[in-house]
Amino acid sequence: MKITNLIATTASCALVAGAALADDMTIVSWGGAYSASQQNAYHTPYTEKTGVNIINDESSAEAVAKLRAMNEAGNVTWDVVDVVASDAIRLCDEGLAMEIDADTMLADAPDGTKASEDFGDLLVSDCFIPQIVYSTTFGYRTDLVGDTPPTSICSIFDTEAYPGKRSLEKRPINNMEWALICDGVAKDEVYDVLGTPEGQQQALDKLATIKDDVIWWSAGADTPQLLADGEVVMGSTYNGRLFSVIEEQKQPVAMLWDAQVFDLDGWIIPAGLSEERKARALDYIMFATDTQRLADQAKYISYGPARKSSAPLVGKHAELGIDMAPHMPTDPENAKNTFLYNYEFWADYRDDIDAKFQAWLAK
């Protein structure tokens, strides 16, 4: 792994970071309950420790396109960016994210275990610092599904048994996989099929059967709001968003964990930062991804921490006082029938399938 020589010594790093304590730092994330959990677990404690003012930007859904444009313009204005793993792979491959040496740039576990071992297989890219394991899954209105609540992911295609609007994300990821599964493709063959033009068309054809019944969302907060307002009978979003609407807002909503799609989310540091901004970003990353901080985020949202050493520290919700472990996507009861997201596939196929999907939507 080639690592840029950011700073000569630890001492010089401290001096550079110390000189920047009064500066602003722009951190990009997804907004809503997720950004709130980061604010509580990472940003506020970091500001208290260093004096750095953190500016929250909620542009993660557009991170790849915006970082490409910033790089081309030679003006990178973001310091740390929260992205899904497949986007991190793309950004790394394109030279838009800096490489990270986990064992020198990230904190050891409390027992001295190196970060590379503590994160393990979740280090899916040389540029990616894992933060959470989450899933995209479905919520449904308990008062709109009659006496037989849905138990299968394929209920989203059953408009006879469950009439009403559905909400799906306005992108191919996950939707294409679910469509193929519900069209009879075995889970272990989904990506082989989706890698062909015929398979892509098969997925779009299946989605076309409910296209008129779909409200397409772009922000993670959309489906919880649509569910709370009773505008959809069921809809996809991130499991942490559903936890918020169910447990915090006490809406008549329940989770459908079947075929939930596991994914990773974490940080990248954009390439092209000044030495001072690199040092400051690395200082933040060292702080925000240590064992205790990752466990702390689970006090505010139901996402599993990416470090092995953090899992035993997950306790109760900071305000509700409920045990958070049963609300994690990785809980054995919830993970009986998961679908494993293929990072490499989407890193390779994302642009092409995106274009095909958006053209289909526009018809």
Side-chain angles (χ1 to χ4, degrees):
M1 181 187 296
K2 296 180 180 178
I3 303 296
T4 304
N5 185 12
L6 301 176
I7 35 194
T9 65
T10 303
S12 65
C13 177
L15 288 172
V16 172
L21 290 185
D23 287 352
D24 294 334
M25 179 166 60
T26 299
I27 296 182
V28 184
S29 192
W30 301 90
Y34 183 58
S35 286
S37 72
Q38 292 175 320
Q39 184 69 46
N40 286 318
Y42 311 142
H43 302 348
T44 296
Y46 186 74
T47 295
E48 291 173 350
K49 176 175 179 273
T50 64
V52 171
N53 177 48
I54 292 175
I55 300 168
N56 286 295
D57 185 307
E58 298 179 1
S59 301
S60 281
E62 306 167 284
V64 174
K66 288 195 171 186
L67 282 170
R68 285 170 176 166
M70 288 180 188
N71 186 70
E72 188 173 338
N75 182 29
V76 179
T77 59
W78 294 345
D79 296 285
V80 179
V81 185
D82 186 303
V83 292
V84 294
S86 60
D87 283 348
I89 292 170
R90 287 200 291 167
L91 291 166
C92 200
D93 289 346
E94 295 178 27
L96 299 178
M98 63 171 282
E99 293 186 3
I100 299 294
D101 182 346
D103 289 343
T104 62
M105 295 178 175
L106 305 178
D108 295 344
D111 65 358
T113 300
K114 289 296 182 182
S116 60
E117 182 179 344
D118 206 18
F119 285 108
D121 292 341
L122 303 189
L123 289 169
V124 297
S125 165
D126 289 342
C127 304
F128 182 60
I129 308 106
Q131 183 184 162
I132 52 104
V133 178
Y134 73 97
S135 74
T136 303
T137 189
F138 278 79
Y140 61 89
R141 284 283 300 217
T142 55
D143 56 344
L144 298 179
V145 295
D147 297 329
T148 54
T151 58
S152 165
I153 188 67
C154 298
S155 298
I156 63 173
F157 294 99
D158 191 348
T159 55
E160 184 175 341
Y162 303 103
K165 293 289 187 181
R166 290 95 163 92
S167 56
L168 294 173
E169 189 172 6
K170 196 175 183 179
R171 66 175 189 168
I173 291 174
N174 300 331
N175 293 325
M176 304 284 271
E177 290 96 323
W178 286 324
L180 290 177
I181 289 170
C182 294
D183 205 40
V185 176
K187 285 200 300 183
D188 60 358
E189 296 176 5
V190 163
Y191 287 110
D192 290 336
V193 174
L194 196 55
T196 67
E198 295 80 12
Q200 294 160 20
Q201 190 59 50
Q202 181 182 351
L204 293 174
D205 288 346
K206 182 66 173 179
L207 288 168
T209 65
I210 57 169
K211 189 176 182 181
D212 292 342
D213 297 296
V214 173
I215 296 175
W216 301 97
W217 61 268
S218 298
D222 292 348
T223 287
Q225 190 62 55
L226 290 166
L227 286 167
D229 294 342
E231 292 187 38
V232 296
V233 65
M234 61 182 70
S236 68
T237 190
Y238 314 120
N239 74 283
R241 301 283 190 161
L242 290 170
F243 171 85
S244 179
V245 79
I246 294 167
E247 297 294 341
E248 296 174 355
Q249 301 176 33
K250 301 299 182 184
Q251 296 288 343
V253 176
M255 299 277 278
L256 177 62
W257 291 103
D258 185 57
Q260 62 166 321
V261 182
F262 276 2
D263 202 350
L264 303 176
D265 207 274
W267 305 109
I268 61 99
I269 297 174
L273 301 185
S274 68
E275 293 301 309
E276 184 179 22
R277 290 174 63 198
K278 284 179 187 176
R280 184 175 55 195
L282 282 168
D283 188 64
Y284 172 83
I285 289 296
M286 174 78 80
F287 175 86
T289 62
D290 71 16
T291 294
Q292 186 61 57
R293 299 297 166 189
L294 292 184
D296 285 348
Q297 188 178 9
K299 295 178 182 178
Y300 304 98
I301 200 162
S302 56
Y303 296 143
R307 277 184 179 263
K308 298 183 187 77
S309 62
S310 299
L313 303 181
V314 173
K316 296 183 182 296
H317 190 280
E319 297 173 1
L320 302 178
I322 61 175
D323 185 4
M324 291 298 286
H327 298 280
M328 298 294 172
T330 49
D331 180 78
E333 187 65 25
N334 302 332
K336 287 181 176 178
N337 184 32
T338 61
F339 184 80
L340 300 179
Y341 181 84
N342 188 318
Y343 313 109
E344 292 290 349
F345 176 89
W346 281 110
D348 291 341
Y349 284 87
R350 177 71 184 275
D351 289 340
D352 290 342
I353 297 181
D354 261 349
K356 186 174 290 188
F357 184 81
Q358 296 305 325
W360 172 81
L361 273 182
K363 291 180 180 178

